[in-house]
CSV table of all heavy atoms in Angstrom, one decimal:
chain,number,residue,atom,x,y,z
A,91,THR,N,162.3,-38.5,64.5
A,91,THR,CA,162.4,-39.7,65.5
A,91,THR,C,161.0,-40.2,65.8
A,91,THR,O,160.0,-39.6,65.7
A,91,THR,CB,163.2,-39.3,66.7
A,91,THR,OG1,162.4,-38.3,67.4
A,91,THR,CG2,164.5,-38.8,66.5
A,92,ALA,N,161.0,-41.5,66.2
A,92,ALA,CA,159.8,-42.2,66.5
A,92,ALA,C,160.2,-43.2,67.6
A,92,ALA,O,161.1,-43.9,67.6
A,92,ALA,CB,159.1,-42.9,65.3
A,93,ALA,N,159.3,-43.2,68.7
A,93,ALA,CA,159.5,-44.1,69.8
A,93,ALA,C,158.8,-45.4,69.7
A,93,ALA,O,157.6,-45.5,69.1
A,93,ALA,CB,159.1,-43.4,71.1
A,94,TYR,N,159.4,-46.5,70.2
A,94,TYR,CA,158.8,-47.7,70.3
A,94,TYR,C,159.1,-48.4,71.7
A,94,TYR,O,160.3,-48.8,71.8
A,94,TYR,CB,159.2,-48.7,69.1
A,94,TYR,CG,158.7,-50.1,69.2
A,94,TYR,CD1,157.3,-50.3,69.2
A,94,TYR,CD2,159.6,-51.2,69.3
A,94,TYR,CE1,156.9,-51.6,69.3
A,94,TYR,CE2,159.1,-52.5,69.3
A,94,TYR,CZ,157.8,-52.7,69.3
A,94,TYR,OH,157.4,-54.1,69.4
A,95,TYR,N,158.2,-48.3,72.7
A,95,TYR,CA,158.6,-48.7,73.9
A,95,TYR,C,159.8,-47.9,74.5
A,95,TYR,O,159.9,-46.7,74.4
A,95,TYR,CB,158.7,-50.2,74.1
A,95,TYR,CG,157.4,-50.9,74.0
A,95,TYR,CD1,156.9,-51.2,72.7
A,95,TYR,CD2,156.6,-51.2,75.1
A,95,TYR,CE1,155.7,-51.8,72.5
A,95,TYR,CE2,155.3,-51.8,74.8
A,95,TYR,CZ,154.9,-52.1,73.6
A,95,TYR,OH,153.7,-52.6,73.5
A,96,ASP,N,160.9,-48.6,74.9
A,96,ASP,CA,162.1,-47.8,75.3
A,96,ASP,C,163.1,-47.6,74.2
A,96,ASP,O,164.1,-47.0,74.4
A,96,ASP,CB,162.8,-48.6,76.4
A,96,ASP,CG,162.0,-48.7,77.7
A,96,ASP,OD1,161.2,-47.8,77.9
A,96,ASP,OD2,162.2,-49.7,78.4
A,97,GLU,N,162.8,-47.9,73.0
A,97,GLU,CA,163.6,-47.8,71.8
A,97,GLU,C,163.2,-46.5,71.0
A,97,GLU,O,162.1,-45.9,71.2
A,97,GLU,CB,163.5,-48.9,70.8
A,97,GLU,CG,164.0,-50.2,71.4
A,97,GLU,CD,163.9,-51.3,70.3
A,97,GLU,OE1,163.9,-51.0,69.1
A,97,GLU,OE2,163.9,-52.5,70.7
A,98,GLU,N,164.1,-46.0,70.3
A,98,GLU,CA,163.9,-44.8,69.4
A,98,GLU,C,164.5,-45.0,68.0
A,98,GLU,O,165.6,-45.5,67.9
A,98,GLU,CB,164.5,-43.5,70.0
A,98,GLU,CG,164.2,-42.2,69.1
A,98,GLU,CD,164.7,-41.0,69.8
A,98,GLU,OE1,165.8,-40.8,69.7
A,98,GLU,OE2,163.9,-40.3,70.5
A,99,ALA,N,163.7,-44.8,67.0
A,99,ALA,CA,164.3,-44.9,65.6
A,99,ALA,C,164.4,-43.4,65.1
A,99,ALA,O,163.6,-42.6,65.4
A,99,ALA,CB,163.3,-45.7,64.7
A,100,ARG,N,165.5,-43.2,64.2
A,100,ARG,CA,165.7,-41.9,63.6
A,100,ARG,C,165.8,-42.1,62.1
A,100,ARG,O,166.3,-43.1,61.6
A,100,ARG,CB,167.0,-41.4,64.2
A,100,ARG,CG,167.4,-40.0,63.7
A,100,ARG,CD,168.7,-39.5,64.2
A,100,ARG,NE,169.1,-38.2,63.6
A,100,ARG,CZ,168.8,-37.1,64.0
A,100,ARG,NH1,168.1,-36.9,65.1
A,100,ARG,NH2,169.3,-35.9,63.4
A,101,PHE,N,165.3,-41.0,61.4
A,101,PHE,CA,165.2,-41.1,60.0
A,101,PHE,C,166.0,-39.8,59.4
A,101,PHE,O,165.6,-38.7,59.7
A,101,PHE,CB,163.7,-41.1,59.6
A,101,PHE,CG,162.9,-42.2,60.2
A,101,PHE,CD1,162.3,-42.0,61.5
A,101,PHE,CD2,162.7,-43.4,59.6
A,101,PHE,CE1,161.6,-43.0,62.1
A,101,PHE,CE2,162.1,-44.4,60.2
A,101,PHE,CZ,161.4,-44.2,61.4
A,102,ASP,N,166.9,-40.1,58.6
A,102,ASP,CA,167.8,-39.0,58.1
A,102,ASP,C,167.9,-39.1,56.6
A,102,ASP,O,167.9,-40.3,56.0
A,102,ASP,CB,169.2,-39.1,58.8
A,102,ASP,CG,169.1,-38.8,60.2
A,102,ASP,OD1,168.8,-37.6,60.6
A,102,ASP,OD2,169.3,-39.7,61.1
A,103,GLN,N,168.3,-38.0,56.0
A,103,GLN,CA,168.6,-38.0,54.6
A,103,GLN,C,170.0,-37.3,54.5
A,103,GLN,O,170.3,-36.3,55.1
A,103,GLN,CB,167.7,-37.1,53.7
A,103,GLN,CG,168.0,-37.0,52.3
A,103,GLN,CD,167.0,-36.4,51.4
A,103,GLN,OE1,166.1,-35.8,51.9
A,103,GLN,NE2,167.4,-36.1,50.2
A,104,ARG,N,170.9,-38.0,53.8
A,104,ARG,CA,172.2,-37.5,53.7
A,104,ARG,C,172.6,-37.5,52.1
A,104,ARG,O,172.7,-38.5,51.5
A,104,ARG,CB,173.3,-38.4,54.4
A,104,ARG,CG,173.0,-38.5,55.9
A,104,ARG,CD,173.9,-39.6,56.5
A,104,ARG,NE,173.6,-39.9,57.9
A,104,ARG,CZ,174.1,-40.9,58.6
A,104,ARG,NH1,175.0,-41.7,58.0
A,104,ARG,NH2,173.6,-41.1,59.8
Side-chain angles (χ1 to χ4, degrees):
T91 60
Y94 175 61
Y95 292 84
D96 294 333
E97 295 181 23
E98 183 178 82
R100 181 182 172 91
F101 306 87
D102 293 291
Q103 181 177 359
R104 301 173 189 168

